[in-house]
């Protein structure tokens, strides 16, 4: 066999001869006498495929939890990453319990799982303790059940049926606090089994947090009497929220992925990855990824919402939907649609009672909304017809944002409420189709353009994006003067850039999120959204 080292010497010698024979103005011409034929070596073989993921082996049994019903050992389930012990949650968690991370264990949500019983519009006033081990949700309560479901970092829960969902009722809490290295994952049975593709969606309900914040569009009570309550969309059994406490604490969710959610509980009534109803400012929400929800990425009904570091990939309707009197502050958001799917990046106030108070008030800072260059002019289930939709009793302020939907209109406003929706934009840039703006009842497209105000307040409706790695600011984004978001809410952090990601060093989104064809979000400890991690 020809020695590779010797072959390299021959090539180098031949190259030297060619160079020596050519002066500064000479060109070695093929086709003249004395040609030298060089047979290039064959291309190196492709690198070996990566090793298969670690194989998980099902645990021998389910762990014990504090709830007296315990976890039901429902057998095992297998998928590409191995086999797992199925530990099914009880339909009612009666006492505070912790789900530990254990090798080979998955926690199953079979149907609706209630965290505690609903304590009602206001907390029951009796000081007598509730016997949490025997009380049922149909029993009149003399005090809140005060159940907290704690989920340890790295735990994976899945919906065993389409109508599976987790309801954290009023007077109870969730503590789902993962870490960047060990995020908590809520997903579907098909995801566990390895059946999912990047177009899968709507395979289970989602996570619903219910509180005593102020809401509008009452199911029972009235806005005028300050007794307004609403029912969760599509829930066959009452999942009620509302009250008078916009500081309500429903617990904490941090470093969490919610995948393939949005099952329709009733006709045109779908849950989201994350739904809040009347939760308050005491509730902590940060570092949450919604992936391939068949409805909205997240929807917030009433109450007061503060959230940072939100990623919505592949929502089939709106990436964020805020309505029924919510008071919301959201900072650092990546809203990325699947090609050819999705509706608006944002839909603000979709309630039907335009004179109800309080008005929905939204501040969103440092965000990016991305629609594929190849996507058509999308219209999801709510028919926003534009990439952002502002209507009803809503007052929205957008700060330091980039909206990029080259084949879609960027902003639509509808003014049919008694007092029309308002929009304030500061350091917001748009990359849209030629129409750019749409009106509705009460607004013309020209009026919407004037409200946005290109050329003022660092706004532009003719922006060319220069993102690297899909959403990281490039030269054009860096060149836009930012607005201090802390002047609009003390919840916000001072930033000096527009968009969600300042530069390659600002990788707040990486690690704890999963990747898909919709968006590669950097190095991921959980890998592809279509698979489970094996940490």
């Amino acid at each position: 066999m020809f020695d590779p080292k010797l072959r390299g010497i021959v090539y180098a010698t031949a190259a030297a001869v060619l160079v020596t024979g050519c002066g500064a103005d000479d060109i070695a011409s093929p086709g003249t006498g004395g040609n030298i034929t060089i047979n290039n070596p064959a291309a190196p073989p492709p690198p070996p495929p990566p090793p298969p993921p670690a194989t998980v082996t099902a645990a021998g049994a389910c762990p014990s939890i504090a709830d007296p019903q315990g976890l039901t050992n429902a057998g095992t389930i297998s998928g590409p990453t191995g086999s797992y012990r199925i530990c099914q949650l009880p339909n009612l968690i009666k006492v505070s319990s912790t789900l530990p991370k254990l090798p080979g264990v998955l926690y199953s949500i079979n149907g609706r799982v209630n965290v505690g019983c609903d304590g009602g519009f206001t907390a029951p006033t009796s000081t007598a303790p509730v016997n949490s081990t025997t009380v049922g949700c149909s029993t009149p309560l003399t005090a809140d059940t005060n159940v907290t479901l704690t989920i340890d970092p790295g735990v994976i829960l899945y919906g065993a049926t389409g109508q599976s969902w987790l309801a954290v009722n009023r007077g109870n809490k969730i503590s789902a606090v993962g870490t960047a290295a060990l995020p908590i994952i809520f997903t579907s049975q098909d995801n566990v089994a390895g059946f999912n593709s990047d177009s899968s969606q709507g395979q289970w309900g989602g996570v619903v947090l219910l509180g005593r914040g102020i809401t509008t569009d009452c199911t029972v009570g009235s806005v005028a009497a300050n007794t307004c309550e609403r029912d969760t969309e599509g829930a066959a059994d009452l999942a009620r929220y509302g009250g008078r406490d916009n500081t309500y604490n429903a617990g904490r969710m941090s470093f969490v992925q919610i995948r393939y959610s949005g099952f329709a509980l009733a006709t045109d009534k779908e849950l989201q990855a994350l739904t809040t109803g009347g939760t308050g400012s005491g509730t902590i929400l940060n570092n949450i990824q919604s992936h391939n929800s068949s409805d909205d990425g997240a929807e917030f009904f009433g109450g007061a919402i503060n959230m940072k570091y939100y990623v919505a990939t592949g929502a089939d309707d709106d990436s964020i939907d805020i309505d029924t009197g919510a008071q919301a502050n959201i900072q650092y958001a990546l809203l990325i649609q699947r090609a050819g799917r999705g509706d608006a990046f944002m839909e603000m106030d979709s309630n039907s009672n335009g004179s109800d108070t309080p008005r929905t008030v939204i501040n969103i800072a440092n965000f990016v909304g991305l629609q594929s260059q190849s996507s058509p002019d999308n219209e999801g289930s709510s028919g926003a017809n534009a990439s952002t939709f502002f209507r009803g009793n809503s007052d929205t302020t957008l700060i330091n944002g980039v909206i990029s939907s080259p084949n879609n209109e960027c902003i639509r406003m509808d003014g049919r409420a008694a007092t029309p929706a308002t929009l304030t934009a500061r350091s917001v840039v748009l990359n849209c189709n030629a129409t750019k703006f749409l009106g509705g009842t009460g607004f013309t497209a020209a009026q919407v353009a004037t409200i946005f105000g290109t050329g003022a307040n660092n706004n532009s409706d003719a922006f060319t994006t220069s993102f690297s790695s899909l959403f990281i600011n490039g030269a054009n984004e860096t060149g836009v003067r930012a607005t201090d978001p802390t002047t609009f809410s003390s919840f916000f952090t001072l930033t000096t850039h527009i968009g969600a990601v300042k530069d390659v060093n600002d990788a707040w989104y990486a690690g704890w999120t999963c990747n898909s064809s919709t968006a590669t979000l950097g190095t991921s400890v959980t890998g592809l959204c279509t698979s489970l991690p094996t940490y």
Side-chain angles (χ1 to χ4, degrees):
M1 181 177 294
F2 193 8
D3 188 333
K5 292 183 178 179
L6 179 57
R7 180 169 55 193
I9 294 170
V10 171
Y11 295 159
T13 302
V17 169
L18 287 173
V19 171
T20 303
C22 298
D25 298 323
D26 292 335
I27 299 175
S29 174
T32 61
N35 291 342
I36 297 176
T37 301
I38 298 176
N39 295 314
N40 291 319
T55 300
V56 177
T57 301
C62 294
S64 298
I65 61 172
D67 191 284
Q69 303 162 96
L71 299 166
T72 299
N73 185 339
T76 62
I77 185 171
S78 296
T81 51
S83 62
Y84 302 84
R85 178 66 52 191
I86 303 171
C87 299
Q88 183 176 301
L89 301 180
N91 294 125
L92 170 60
I93 300 173
K94 296 182 177 182
V95 300
S96 294
S97 301
T98 297
L99 303 181
K101 180 189 180 302
L102 295 171
V105 167
L106 295 179
Y107 297 97
S108 168
I109 301 170
N110 189 15
R112 174 177 168 180
V113 169
N114 290 284
V115 177
C117 299
D118 179 18
F121 185 82
T122 56
T125 56
S126 172
T127 57
V130 173
N131 185 346
S132 297
T133 61
T134 59
V135 71
C137 285
S138 61
T139 304
L141 299 180
T142 57
D144 278 338
T145 48
N146 287 318
V147 171
T148 297
L149 175 63
T150 299
I151 304 172
D152 280 352
V155 163
I156 301 173
L157 305 92
Y158 74 92
T161 67
Q163 296 195 8
S164 298
W165 55 295
L166 183 69
V168 181
N169 292 306
R170 290 179 293 191
N172 307 278
K173 293 184 175 116
I174 190 170
S175 178
V177 183
T179 67
L182 290 171
I184 293 166
I185 298 175
F186 293 88
T187 191
S188 67
Q189 180 168 284
D190 279 6
N191 194 191
V192 175
F195 297 152
N196 280 357
S197 69
D198 280 334
S199 61
S200 300
Q201 62 178 28
Q203 296 175 339
W204 69 292
V207 178
V208 180
L209 309 182
L210 303 166
R212 295 186 172 115
I214 299 167
T215 189
T216 63
D217 284 40
C218 317
T219 303
V220 296
S222 71
V223 167
N226 202 14
T227 56
C228 187
E229 297 177 85
R230 281 176 57 86
D231 294 332
T232 299
E233 290 185 338
D237 300 317
L238 289 181
R240 190 158 283 176
Y241 60 90
R244 302 189 185 102
D245 182 10
N246 267 11
T247 67
Y248 182 88
N249 181 1
R252 178 176 176 182
M253 294 185 71
S254 300
F255 294 100
V256 169
Q257 298 174 17
I258 308 176
R259 307 177 179 179
Y260 307 110
S261 61
F263 190 86
L265 299 180
T267 303
D268 295 326
K269 301 291 185 182
E270 297 168 318
L271 291 178
Q272 289 67 231
L274 175 63
T275 304
T276 68
T279 61
S281 57
T283 305
I284 298 174
L285 302 172
N286 65 275
N287 297 82
I288 295 174
Q289 180 184 14
S290 163
H291 179 68
N292 278 28
S293 169
S294 63
D295 196 48
D296 301 323
E299 186 162 9
F300 306 106
F301 295 90
I305 299 94
N306 292 324
M307 181 168 68
K308 284 183 179 175
Y309 306 116
Y310 170 62
V311 177
T313 48
D316 212 45
D317 197 9
D318 309 314
S319 297
I320 301 176
D321 195 341
I322 303 176
D323 42 35
T324 63
Q327 314 292 293
N329 297 301
I330 298 173
Q331 188 175 26
Y332 307 117
L334 285 171
L335 315 175
I336 307 174
Q337 293 181 341
R338 275 180 286 164
R341 307 292 300 192
D343 195 9
F345 300 129
M346 309 172 191
E347 181 183 350
M348 302 312 185
D349 206 76
S350 58
N351 67 332
S352 57
N353 296 329
S355 61
D356 279 357
T357 55
R359 288 172 66 85
T360 302
V361 177
I362 309 112
N363 299 308
I364 299 184
N366 294 98
F367 64 90
V368 169
L370 290 176
Q371 187 182 82
S372 168
Q373 187 81 29
S374 61
S375 287
D377 187 346
N378 292 349
E379 292 185 27
S381 62
S382 59
N385 300 327
S387 293
T388 58
F389 188 22
F390 309 101
R391 64 173 175 173
N393 251 15
S394 67
D395 301 310
T396 303
T397 300
L398 304 180
I399 310 148
N400 298 337
V402 182
I403 297 171
S404 181
S405 51
N407 298 316
N408 204 353
E409 297 80 23
C410 271
I411 298 176
R412 178 186 172 199
M413 297 185 69
D414 188 301
R416 71 187 64 204
T419 302
T422 67
L423 172 64
T424 300
R426 297 290 184 269
S427 300
V428 176
V429 296
L430 312 179
N431 174 28
C432 318
N433 67 15
T435 302
K436 300 182 183 180
F437 303 99
L438 290 175
T441 303
F443 288 113
T444 66
Q447 288 173 319
V448 176
T450 299
I451 290 169
F452 174 74
T454 191
N457 300 307
N458 309 313
N459 298 330
S460 172
D461 66 4
F463 188 75
T464 300
T465 59
S466 61
F467 290 126
S468 65
S469 299
L470 191 62
F471 48 75
I472 298 173
N473 281 358
N476 292 355
E477 290 77 25
T478 301
V480 178
R481 183 177 179 181
T483 296
D484 179 1
T486 64
T487 61
F488 297 91
S489 172
S490 60
F491 172 73
F492 291 146
T493 300
L494 174 63
T495 57
T496 57
H497 64 89
I498 70 165
V501 181
K502 180 180 180 180
D503 53 37
V504 294
N505 299 313
D506 183 25
W508 60 262
Y509 53 86
W512 57 274
T513 52
C514 62
N515 290 319
S516 66
S517 61
T518 300
T520 298
L521 298 164
T523 302
S524 170
V525 298
T526 62
L528 295 175
C529 301
T530 50
S531 184
L532 297 187
T534 55
Y535 46 60

